[in-house]
Amino acid sequence: MLRYLIGRLLTTIPTMLLVSLSVFVLIRLVPGDPIALMLGDAADEATVRDIREAYGLEEPIYIQFGLWLLKAVSGDLGQSISNNAPVMPLILDRFQVSAAIVLIAVAVAAAISVPLGMVAAWRQNRLTDVLIVAGATLLLSLPSFWLGLLLLLLFGLKLGWVPVIGYVSFAEDWAAALAYIALPTLTLILIEIGVLTRMARASTVEVLRLEYITHARAKGVSEGAVLLRHALPNAFAPTWTLIGLVLGNLLGGIAVVETVFTLPGLGRLLVDAIFARDYPVIQGCMLFTAVIYVVVNLIVDLCYPLFDPRVMSE
């Protein structure tokens, strides 16, 4: 296990380097100078040049990348151009908002999707299966921004059950914080239910065709025991892998939902930084997201044997 862990960690190094280099180069191909945007049209060229030199933007791009990478290894992601604040504390502060929404959404979606998928597989090609698959496909097809706006219009404006705009941290008032993240979390839950339900159904259908399931039924084991005791451990393993992928993808792609609901999360920070051409923040957000994605999937791989008896017995 230790050798496997070290090997996986070593394979992430080229991935992190490629992500860092790609983001570093691509963001500089976007038209617009961050210093000129920060100072406005009234700034003279000498002032712009002096500030660019202060931020090291006058150096060749390979020197800029090398210096930034050396600092990033020690946890220093530089100084934000637009906020004039260290990037790492800024990212960690915003990450708390995104992490709370994503973790709650994935946990609730998984708790709903796995039973639904198993029931659909158990009632394969019957009305129950058709309705569940149709509902999952419909949820999977809905754009997250459209669904978020629809929920905002219904529950926020029409019914007035939750606040429409703003955010309160859990440290200040946990009840108010839950109210503010209720709709964005519900949006992600509904979207991910479609993905996870289809995976849970597909894996359960495959498991129910195996010989040991037929043997258990022949011995007179009840259908409930067959599903929970025999089918669930094997059927949940592929779904667990997908949950890890979904968790990583949501952390990287939550910008749309946070923009719709005006939440001060990591995705919104990245969007604002892109508009401001804030190179250090953009690079820091992308590198941080890539690291989280790799760590989440590593944890999923390490936990995989716990959910698949066939792996544990090897």
Side-chain angles (χ1 to χ4, degrees):
M1 180 64 72
L2 180 60
R3 180 180 299 177
Y4 171 76
L5 178 60
I6 295 175
R8 283 298 305 272
L9 291 175
L10 290 177
T11 57
T12 62
I13 295 177
T15 303
M16 294 297 100
L17 287 174
L18 182 60
V19 170
S20 303
L21 181 60
S22 301
V23 174
F24 199 91
V25 173
L26 290 176
I27 190 57
R28 281 161 174 75
L29 296 178
V30 178
D33 185 278
I35 306 302
L37 289 174
M38 179 180 66
L39 297 178
D41 297 333
D44 58 273
E45 294 184 4
T47 303
V48 172
R49 185 172 58 255
D50 291 341
I51 299 180
R52 283 182 59 85
E53 289 179 355
Y55 280 98
L57 298 177
E58 292 294 326
E59 298 288 343
I61 188 171
Y62 61 89
I63 294 180
Q64 293 183 42
F65 177 71
L67 293 175
W68 176 79
L69 192 61
L70 288 175
K71 292 181 179 180
V73 172
S74 63
D76 182 7
L77 297 178
Q79 194 85 358
S80 170
I81 297 175
S82 57
N83 296 320
N84 195 29
V87 174
M88 181 57 81
L90 197 60
I91 290 176
L92 294 177
D93 181 59
R94 298 294 191 94
F95 177 68
Q96 298 177 20
V97 181
S98 301
I101 297 172
V102 169
L103 290 176
I104 295 174
V106 172
V108 174
I112 296 173
S113 301
V114 173
L116 280 179
M118 295 189 68
V119 170
W122 178 49
R123 307 291 292 177
Q124 186 180 11
N125 298 327
R126 300 181 185 179
L127 180 60
T128 303
D129 179 31
V130 172
L131 292 176
I132 292 177
V133 171
T137 304
L138 176 62
L139 292 175
L140 183 61
S141 305
L142 295 177
S144 59
F145 71 90
W146 181 85
L147 181 59
L149 290 173
L150 190 65
L151 295 176
L152 195 61
L153 177 64
L154 177 60
F155 295 105
L157 296 179
K158 296 294 184 182
L159 299 177
W161 289 358
V162 291
V164 175
I165 190 171
Y167 176 75
V168 175
S169 67
F170 283 91
E172 296 177 17
D173 188 341
W174 66 269
L178 288 176
Y180 279 108
I181 69 171
L183 290 184
T185 304
L186 179 60
T187 301
L188 295 181
I189 289 173
L190 293 176
I191 295 295
E192 298 310 324
I193 279 178
V195 179
L196 296 177
T197 298
R198 290 173 64 89
M199 172 57 76
R201 178 190 179 276
S203 57
T204 305
V205 167
E206 182 181 352
V207 169
L208 291 178
R209 294 172 180 170
L210 298 178
E211 292 183 0
Y212 78 94
I213 297 294
T214 304
H215 180 68
R217 286 170 171 168
K219 290 172 60 178
V221 179
S222 65
E223 285 297 309
V226 168
L227 288 174
L228 295 177
R229 190 183 310 165
H230 299 284
L232 178 59
N234 288 319
F236 185 68
T239 307
W240 170 250
T241 302
L242 183 60
I243 289 173
L245 294 174
V246 166
L247 188 61
N249 288 334
L250 285 182
L251 284 172
I254 198 175
V256 174
V257 173
E258 290 180 350
T259 302
V260 169
F261 293 97
T262 63
L263 292 174
L266 186 62
R268 182 67 182 277
L269 175 65
L270 178 59
V271 171
D272 293 341
I274 291 174
F275 281 115
R277 306 294 190 274
D278 195 336
Y279 296 159
V281 174
I282 297 172
Q283 294 158 188
C285 286
M286 296 301 295
L287 181 62
F288 185 83
T289 302
V291 170
I292 293 296
Y293 188 89
V294 169
V295 170
V296 167
N297 283 278
L298 178 60
I299 294 174
V300 168
D301 288 346
L302 294 177
C303 294
Y304 194 90
L306 300 177
F307 301 102
D308 193 342
R310 293 169 296 183
V311 176
M312 295 182 66
S313 60
E314 292 179 355

